[in-house]
Amino acid sequence: MRNLIFTLFCIISIQFVSAQDGWKKGVSIGQASDNSYTKSLPAQYIAIYPSDATSSNSQSINGFVGLDFYKTKNERQAIKLSISYELHKNNLIDKEQNVYQFGVSIGNIFSLSKSMTPSYLLTDISIKKSEDKVEDKKGMQYLAYASFTWSKVYKKGSFLNYLQPNRIYPGNQRTNIPPTDSKKEEAKKMKEYKKVDWSNLKTSDIIQIKHNHAIGLENIAYENLTMYSASFNIEVYPFSGLLYSALGKYQFLKFHYNISHRNTLGNYSGNLFIGNLIKKGISLNYKIDNKDKTVFSLGYEHAQGGNPLKGLKDNTFGQLTIGAKVNL
């Protein structure tokens, strides 16, 4: 009965939003549909298919594909409803992972003030049907997260600019050309801006950084497990502007480090791993556009820890990955 109610809820949600004026549709691909933090990470894929028919396939997949309905009130205030299917599978490690999930999530951006430079609270609520093939368990997961940001940009060089999440700092200085009267003039200036003056390097030539975060409550109903979580991700782009001069793409080379910490609320007597999941790696990233909406990557990542939501037990492993983040 619970599964039937959940399926009907998803169908009704799609029909209701589709019928409303002002809503737009889109498709997204990322690492997990839980919240804005996990959605911003690229889906990961690596597989080995032996020619020998007696050998089994080896796969590592972490990703989701979502159908999005969103409505924007202004530049930052927006609401989004997403219907997502995701897969988290890895039989290349000692403790295998094999989880399928289907769910609906609602995200909203709340303005906390009406000033010229307001602060914002980003919220995400998700309901998922999850099936763990390794543990032979299935049931519902209920997730709620929040993150915080603001719109004010402080004076050049201020450390407070580094604290703003989901924003590249410093910005792409080689693309900030003065206004021009024609596309021909703009192309000419853009070509000049790409040239490197080694005696007067820009900050973004040497380094750029970006970070985001999420805090939340998580409930795995079929395990009778409730947790609080806190996640933090930082990305460092060395020689970003110099690589742009050579390749025409900012943020081409990336180092990343992310940590997700979980702890139980109340008593829990199951065998799921509760604690930290730490990932760090390096990747080459190719942006299809300049708005960071569609990015393909190739890299190496080292992981240590586990994630009870995705059936990942306590593991330590490294792997090459092909990644993609898509927002259409």
Side-chain angles (χ1 to χ4, degrees):
M1 178 61 70
R2 179 182 288 177
N3 295 341
L4 176 61
I5 293 174
F6 175 66
T7 303
L8 290 174
F9 173 74
C10 291
I11 295 173
I12 292 171
S13 297
I14 295 173
Q15 294 297 324
F16 174 78
V17 175
S18 298
Q20 305 304 304
D21 294 332
W23 287 81
K24 299 179 181 179
K25 297 178 183 178
V27 175
S28 58
I29 297 173
Q31 193 166 123
S33 66
D34 300 345
N35 53 60
S36 59
Y37 162 76
T38 57
K39 289 177 182 177
S40 71
L41 303 176
Q44 299 174 319
Y45 174 79
I46 187 169
I48 300 172
Y49 300 103
S51 57
D52 183 359
T54 62
S55 300
S56 60
N57 297 334
S58 299
Q59 297 174 321
S60 175
I61 304 171
N62 276 300
F64 79 92
V65 58
L67 176 61
D68 305 323
F69 302 87
Y70 57 94
K71 189 173 185 179
T72 304
K73 301 174 186 177
N74 54 47
E75 184 181 356
R76 284 186 173 270
Q77 287 184 285
I79 184 170
K80 178 190 285 187
L81 173 68
S82 300
I83 313 297
S84 303
Y85 174 79
E86 58 186 287
L87 173 61
H88 302 275
K89 182 175 183 177
N90 194 337
N91 59 2
L92 300 171
I93 53 181
D94 291 337
K95 303 171 185 176
E96 285 192 28
Q97 174 190 21
N98 193 2
V99 171
Y100 296 81
Q101 296 182 327
F102 174 73
V104 58
S105 63
I106 299 176
N108 198 9
I109 302 177
F110 295 97
S111 177
L112 300 180
S113 66
K114 295 183 178 180
S115 65
M116 294 295 291
T117 56
S119 300
Y120 299 92
L121 186 67
L122 288 67
T123 60
D124 293 276
I125 298 175
S126 299
I127 304 173
K128 297 184 181 185
K129 171 67 183 298
S130 182
E131 182 174 2
D132 190 327
K133 298 284 189 178
V134 174
E135 292 291 329
D136 194 23
K137 292 182 179 180
K138 57 184 177 180
M140 304 303 295
Q141 294 183 0
Y142 305 94
L143 316 172
Y145 302 92
S147 57
F148 180 78
T149 188
W150 61 94
S151 63
K152 184 174 182 179
V153 177
Y154 294 88
K155 66 180 182 178
K156 183 178 180 181
S158 173
F159 179 74
L160 292 175
N161 288 316
Y162 288 91
L163 301 180
Q164 293 189 12
N166 297 302
R167 182 173 295 177
I168 297 289
Y169 187 83
N172 300 343
Q173 294 169 315
R174 291 194 174 276
T175 61
N176 297 334
I177 65 172
T180 59
D181 296 328
S182 67
K183 289 187 177 180
K184 185 177 180 180
E185 183 67 21
E186 180 179 338
K188 182 180 178 182
K189 284 196 172 184
M190 183 67 77
K191 187 176 181 180
E192 292 176 357
Y193 267 57
K194 280 189 177 181
K195 295 179 181 178
V196 178
D197 181 358
W198 294 98
S199 64
N200 186 26
L201 292 178
K202 303 176 185 299
T203 307
S204 64
D205 289 343
I206 307 302
I207 193 171
Q208 291 182 304
I209 63 171
K210 176 184 177 182
H211 70 88
N212 53 30
H213 68 278
I215 55 174
L217 295 174
E218 304 165 340
N219 175 263
I220 303 178
Y222 53 91
E223 288 281 353
N224 194 26
L225 170 62
T226 300
M227 302 169 287
Y228 68 84
S229 67
S231 301
F232 177 80
N233 179 66
I234 185 168
E235 299 173 355
V236 178
Y237 307 95
F239 311 117
S240 189
L242 297 179
L243 290 171
Y244 171 78
S245 297
L247 305 171
K249 297 291 181 181
Y250 263 103
Q251 293 92 49
F252 182 76
L253 174 63
K254 179 178 76 174
F255 291 91
H256 73 267
Y257 177 92
N258 59 64
I259 178 171
S260 296
H261 173 76
R262 291 179 171 86
N263 213 333
T264 58
L265 290 173
N267 296 323
Y268 174 64
S269 57
N271 62 353
L272 294 181
F273 173 77
I274 313 296
N276 294 332
L277 175 60
I278 299 173
K279 296 181 178 181
K280 46 194 174 183
I282 180 174
S283 61
L284 301 177
N285 306 275
Y286 186 84
K287 295 185 178 183
I288 300 300
D289 53 44
N290 292 322
K291 295 183 179 179
D292 203 27
K293 287 188 174 183
T294 304
V295 183
F296 295 97
S297 63
L298 175 66
Y300 173 83
E301 183 176 75
H302 181 271
Q304 181 177 359
N307 183 345
L309 298 177
K310 311 303 179 187
L312 180 63
K313 299 178 176 64
D314 189 14
N315 280 273
T316 299
F317 61 94
Q319 62 182 9
L320 293 171
T321 61
I322 298 172
K325 182 180 72 172
V326 178
N327 290 280
L328 301 177

